[in-house]
Amino acid sequence: MRAEYKRDLNRKYLVMTDYSDGYQTEMLIRNPSKGFATIKKEEWDNETRLFYDITGKQSLEKGFMKRKITYEDLSDLLYSISTQVKECRRLFLDVSGLVLSPEFIYRDLGNERYCWIFYPGENDPGQILELAEYLLEHIDNDNQAVVKTAYELYRRARDGSIDAENLYEILKGDDTCKEEGEEIFAETFQNPENDSASDFGEISKKNKIEKTIDKIFALMKKQGEGKDFETEKENDFESPLPLFSGDSGNGNETVFLNLPEDNTRKLVSRDAGIPDAVLLAFPCVLGSKRESVDILIEDKSVSRMHAQIDEAGGKLYIYDLNSRNGTFINGIRVVSEEKEIKEGDEIRIGNLRFVLA
């Protein structure tokens, strides 16, 4: 599925080419649905291009870079998918047009509701498995309910026994036992001679999914034996990280900090009354919604979750979180991809100016 991003004044669009007969697109344009992204279409170079309005919305991939997926998060997601399946039926749309790739699942940062893309083309039938793999990699391993449900979703997606139309049913029957899961895992991933394993990619070495499943079963086993597994959790990280106890907005919890080598990096404010922002942990979300950001910037021009700064290989990168008033580097607006920022660069968040130091 080929996609690009465009901006038009203060609106941001996901743009895809429509290769269908246009009937389903017209149905959605003429019958707007709160759950689907608003669509407009344009004819260009003998092609019909669909513009999905994603202003103020954040992709699922970006949304869970900062925190783990809880059982409530997973329930909300699956319930929302179920709701959109019903909406597809109401509008006589083919359910296969509901895009389930994490890259194209959006959430409105204002009301925290999901916003779905309906693409009337040849969608990848492996989207359910892609979504299940993503969820499994990002769940809270301390939460037994989300562990069991996410693994059962992955197992059924891998076997091809679940699709968008019965996805929510998994919440009504998530009694998958650990023994069954261990047996399936061993059969699929730990036996290179198993023909069925070849259907799911190379197994010569463990990928992220396999490591995650290993970790899940190890934690579940320790929980079942009543043992303390705090040491195990700390060892899951490649290197020791300093800890501090703080309030994330959802109660006190232990937070792992990934400190850069030079922890004095900061955004120096150029506006009176706006404090400097010290960059301590990555990814670092900037915005005006106190309970959801790492750096609070209280100004009317700043969106609730406005921008995110990441660190990789000693370099810093900034990504605009579909903010209404934009993020700029030296006067140039950050549109869709993350952009590297260097010392001395002027970073504008809404109407506020900072210099990276």
Side-chain angles (χ1 to χ4, degrees):
M1 199 160 43
R2 184 169 57 89
E4 57 183 321
Y5 295 88
K6 298 287 185 182
R7 279 195 179 272
D8 177 12
L9 297 178
N10 292 325
R11 312 307 296 175
K12 183 176 181 179
Y13 298 95
L14 170 70
V15 184
M16 292 191 283
T17 302
D18 184 2
Y19 296 107
S20 70
D21 58 13
Y23 166 76
Q24 295 189 86
T25 304
E26 287 297 329
M27 284 293 294
L28 199 53
I29 292 176
R30 296 183 183 185
N31 301 276
S33 168
K34 291 182 179 180
F36 286 116
T38 302
I39 303 176
K40 68 177 183 178
K41 66 177 184 177
E42 293 184 3
E43 301 292 336
W44 190 25
D45 291 340
N46 297 319
E47 288 185 335
T48 300
R49 298 195 178 184
L50 304 179
F51 288 70
Y52 300 87
D53 190 344
I54 57 171
T55 308
K57 297 173 179 61
Q58 183 185 56
S59 71
L60 190 70
E61 284 188 329
K62 292 290 181 180
F64 289 105
M65 291 182 67
K66 181 173 179 276
R67 65 183 182 86
K68 295 294 184 180
I69 296 172
T70 66
Y71 183 78
E72 291 72 21
D73 293 325
L74 183 55
S75 297
D76 287 346
L77 175 63
L78 298 185
Y79 179 75
S80 183
I81 293 174
S82 175
T83 300
Q84 291 313 119
V85 167
K86 295 177 182 178
E87 190 67 3
C88 284
R89 292 171 179 162
R90 185 183 73 85
L91 297 174
F92 302 100
L93 303 176
D94 187 342
V95 175
S96 66
L98 183 62
V99 179
L100 297 178
S101 172
E103 180 184 357
F104 303 117
I105 296 176
Y106 295 94
R107 202 167 192 176
D108 192 308
L109 295 177
N111 57 30
E112 298 187 348
R113 294 175 181 172
Y114 282 100
C115 178
W116 297 94
I117 301 298
F118 184 87
Y119 179 63
E122 294 294 329
N123 289 329
D124 183 1
Q127 286 185 108
I128 291 286
L129 181 56
E130 180 186 356
L131 176 60
E133 289 177 343
Y134 172 83
L135 295 172
L136 195 60
E137 288 181 15
H138 292 81
I139 56 173
D140 179 2
N141 288 335
D142 297 341
N143 187 316
Q144 281 276 352
V146 75
V147 165
K148 287 185 176 182
T149 306
Y151 179 76
E152 175 67 1
L153 173 60
Y154 169 73
R155 182 184 72 83
R156 293 183 61 181
R158 187 198 62 196
D159 294 342
S161 61
I162 196 168
D163 55 30
E165 298 196 52
N166 61 6
L167 202 56
Y168 187 63
E169 295 298 317
I170 201 168
L171 294 176
K172 300 178 181 179
D174 56 1
D175 297 327
T176 306
C177 66
K178 179 179 65 176
E179 291 78 11
E180 178 187 357
E182 288 174 336
E183 181 180 347
I184 294 170
F185 171 69
E187 179 182 355
T188 304
F189 292 113
Q190 296 179 346
N191 182 6
E193 303 301 323
N194 191 331
D195 292 337
S196 64
S198 63
D199 294 336
F200 309 110
E202 296 181 0
I203 60 172
S204 57
K205 62 179 181 179
K206 291 186 176 182
N207 58 23
K208 288 183 179 179
I209 294 296
E210 296 164 23
K211 290 179 181 179
T212 299
I213 295 176
D214 268 341
K215 201 176 299 179
I216 286 173
F217 287 133
L219 293 176
M220 290 174 67
K221 182 176 180 181
K222 287 183 177 292
Q223 284 181 325
E225 296 172 351
K227 295 181 179 180
D228 179 14
F229 54 92
E230 288 301 317
T231 303
E232 178 88 13
K233 287 194 298 181
E234 291 181 17
N235 290 338
D236 288 343
F237 296 85
E238 294 182 359
S239 59
L241 299 175
L243 301 172
F244 78 98
S245 292
D247 189 347
S248 66
N250 297 317
N252 291 329
E253 63 179 359
T254 299
V255 180
F256 288 86
L257 285 180
N258 181 10
L259 294 178
E261 294 181 1
D262 179 9
N263 60 8
T264 61
R265 285 182 286 183
K266 61 182 179 180
L267 297 178
V268 179
S269 174
R270 298 184 62 183
D271 294 282
I274 302 298
D276 297 344
V278 180
L279 305 176
L280 291 177
F282 300 101
C284 177
V285 178
L286 298 82
S288 60
K289 188 176 182 181
R290 183 179 299 274
E291 65 272 20
S292 300
V293 300
D294 301 295
I295 295 178
L296 179 66
I297 305 177
E298 297 182 291
D299 187 83
K300 292 182 179 180
S301 68
V302 178
S303 297
R304 292 178 175 86
M305 296 174 68
H306 194 106
Q308 180 169 284
I309 296 178
D310 293 324
E311 186 270 343
K315 298 180 180 180
L316 296 184
Y317 300 86
I318 195 166
Y319 180 87
D320 180 72
L321 297 176
N322 296 327
S323 65
R324 182 169 297 277
N325 293 311
T327 302
F328 299 79
I329 303 174
N330 299 323
I332 300 175
R333 189 166 193 159
V334 178
V335 180
S336 60
E337 301 297 329
E338 61 183 13
K339 299 294 183 182
E340 182 181 355
I341 53 176
K342 302 177 181 178
E343 289 187 12
D345 283 347
E346 181 183 85
I347 312 300
R348 181 152 65 87
I349 308 294
N351 295 333
L352 302 181
R353 300 167 300 158
F354 299 87
V355 174
L356 181 63

